[in-house]
Amino acid sequence: MPCRDTRNCLRLLARTTLSLALQLGSCALAQSAPVSWNHPWHSSDEQQFVRDATAEHMHELPDNPVKTYSLSELIDLAESNNPETRVAWERARAQAASFGVARSELYPTLAAAALSQTSRDEGFFGSRFNAQAVQDFEVALDLSYTVFDFGGRRGRINSARAQLLAANFAFNDTHRNVIYQVEQSYYRLLSSMGQEDSARASLSNAEAVQEAAEDRLAHGLATLPDVLEARSATAQAEYDLQSVLGAEQIARGDLATAVGDRASLTIKVQPLDQLPMPDSISDTVQGAIDRALSQRPDLMQQVAEIRSTNARVQEVRSAYYPSLSIDAGPVAQSVYGLQSPYDWGHTAGITGGLSFSLKWTIFDGGARKNRLLQAHADVHGAEAQAEVKRNQIADEVWTAYSNLNTALRQRQAAIALLEAASQSYDSALQSYNYGVRSLLDVTAAQRTLAQARSADVYARTQVLISFADLAFRTGDSIQSTKRSQP
């Protein structure tokens, strides 16, 4: 609708311009840097990011505080729920698609196009201009195919195939790491639970000593400093118990996170006393190293990288030779024409062409030579990196094997220490009740017993952790026939 009032038209234009400027300004502000360095940045777009960041998990475990999970069940849950396995899986799928793209070069490409065009103009014929119209319908095909390129395509395909294998090995290595995270979190939780039992037993012993001291004070057989010393030992045992309870809560959150769920999830596990405790290693260290070199997916990933670099050498070398390609383009055409004062005319037929193209780079200033040198250097670098990985794996297995032997020996020493400390405490408390030992002797025996209990729990869990670490270093944890854990 036209605007007849000039003043109203100007006002309308000003309001429209101001509204547009405000909208553009808000968009520009949302995409700009913070206006000041001394205040947090906030904008209207931030809320959308907050909603995305706090979105619910795709998979959530049922919060069942009654069910007791075994280690194998937790590992299965982690492999299904932990997002790290899905990330590695999607990367492998993307690499598989890249391999398919590379293989497509072995086949011709066929493109089709349909065209309809109408043109009208004045054609000069004789001594006058005549109006004419032309209606053109075309269906065209374009077929392109590289006949040979002396290994260029094959090199790219082999490189993509090796990269796919590397992605698959990386996927397996992700599972190995996830399993290891669950095992370590699981055994840390068991250790915390065992330390809780130990701390509660130590608190009970301290309370027994305090009760005995107060009873002897009431009968005039002990002094007030003895009672105060006993109360101090009880308070220390209570303090140690609270520290252990806090560590246990953290361990439960770590295990829930390793499984792939929220840290507040309640996961009930078997107590440490119910787990079988291995007492020896059934393999030699050299056997473990050899098994690791044949099973570790990160080493296989490095070997795949060597194959990929060798394939790139083949691809680069093909640039020294010519490539032959063929291009065919048949066109089905139907043309209608009208020129005054004549009737419509029509013609149809198949047109197109066939061409061969031979390309050979004669001189490129040394680019091909340097690319080939670079490709060979990448091969040698990948081979050296694989050797570094082999040495690293051997050292990791050697260390894990040695730690396991140490843990087994410490376990035997911890058993003897706990037995001796228990007997010493019982004897000291009994002698104190008879008045032949001092309270300092009893509290010292009590502290030694508490340390012995803690060392026993640590030694037991260290054996399990060391077995899991050796399985992780050798790659046994992702072998279906060796999944069982103590």
Side-chain angles (χ1 to χ4, degrees), residues 17-31:
T17 304
L18 180 59
S19 176
L20 180 61
L22 290 175
Q23 293 178 4
L24 294 177
S26 63
C27 294
L29 183 61
Q31 299 176 3

Side-chain angles (χ1 to χ4, degrees), residues 130-149:
N130 297 314
Q132 61 181 14
V134 177
Q135 180 67 49
D136 186 4
F137 299 95
E138 293 183 1
V139 176
L141 298 177
D142 184 28
L143 178 68
S144 300
Y145 182 62
T146 300
V147 180
F148 63 83
D149 58 358

Side-chain angles (χ1 to χ4, degrees), residues 147-170:
V147 180
F148 63 83
D149 58 358
F150 288 95
R153 290 174 296 178
R154 181 57 58 185
R156 288 188 290 273
I157 292 173
N158 290 338
S159 177
R161 179 184 288 110
Q163 291 296 325
L164 173 58
L165 292 174
N168 291 340
F169 286 126

Side-chain angles (χ1 to χ4, degrees), residues 5 16 19 26 102 104 113 132 152 168 191 203 220 238 262 276 288-289 323 344-345 386 419 427 443 452 462 486:
D5 190 344
T16 303
S19 176
S26 63
S104 67
Q132 61 181 14
N168 291 340
S191 177
L203 177 60
E238 179 67 32
R262 60 192 185 279
I289 292 175
S323 63
W344 280 94
E419 182 179 0
S427 176
T443 54
Q462 196 61 31

Side-chain angles (χ1 to χ4, degrees), residues 307-328:
R307 292 189 180 184
S308 178
T309 54
N310 277 314
R312 285 196 287 269
V313 170
Q314 179 185 6
E315 177 189 354
V316 172
R317 186 180 287 117
S318 68
Y320 280 97
Y321 305 99
S323 63
L324 177 64
S325 59
I326 183 174
D327 188 85

Side-chain angles (χ1 to χ4, degrees), residues 290-417:
D290 293 340
R291 197 166 63 254
L293 295 178
S294 64
Q295 294 182 163
R296 282 280 290 265
D298 50 346
L299 178 59
M300 300 301 106
Q301 184 180 357
Q302 193 61 50
V303 174
E305 183 61 30
I306 296 176
R307 292 189 180 184
S308 178
T309 54
N310 277 314
R312 285 196 287 269
V313 170
Q314 179 185 6
E315 177 189 354
V316 172
R317 186 180 287 117
S318 68
Y320 280 97
Y321 305 99
S323 63
L324 177 64
S325 59
I326 183 174
D327 188 85
V331 178
Q333 186 179 43
S334 179
V335 182
Y336 295 86
L338 174 64
Q339 187 179 52
S340 179
Y342 305 105
D343 296 330
W344 280 94
H346 171 254
T347 184
I350 301 295
T351 61
L354 177 67
S355 64
F356 292 88
S357 176
L358 182 66
K359 295 181 180 180
W360 194 356
T361 301
I362 305 299
F363 178 75
D364 60 358
R368 290 173 296 181
K369 175 183 176 181
N370 287 286
R371 290 193 187 99
L372 187 59
L373 291 174
Q374 181 183 14
H376 280 296
D378 291 340
V379 172
H380 299 324
E383 292 172 345
Q385 189 62 42
E387 187 64 26
V388 170
K389 177 61 71 174
R390 292 188 190 96
N391 294 336
Q392 177 185 346
I393 290 174
D395 181 66
E396 289 177 358
V397 174
W398 176 270
T399 302
Y401 194 90
S402 300
N403 288 337
L404 180 53
N405 275 322
T406 302
L408 290 172
R409 293 192 298 266
Q410 287 180 331
R411 168 63 179 151
Q412 297 302 319
I415 293 175
L417 175 61

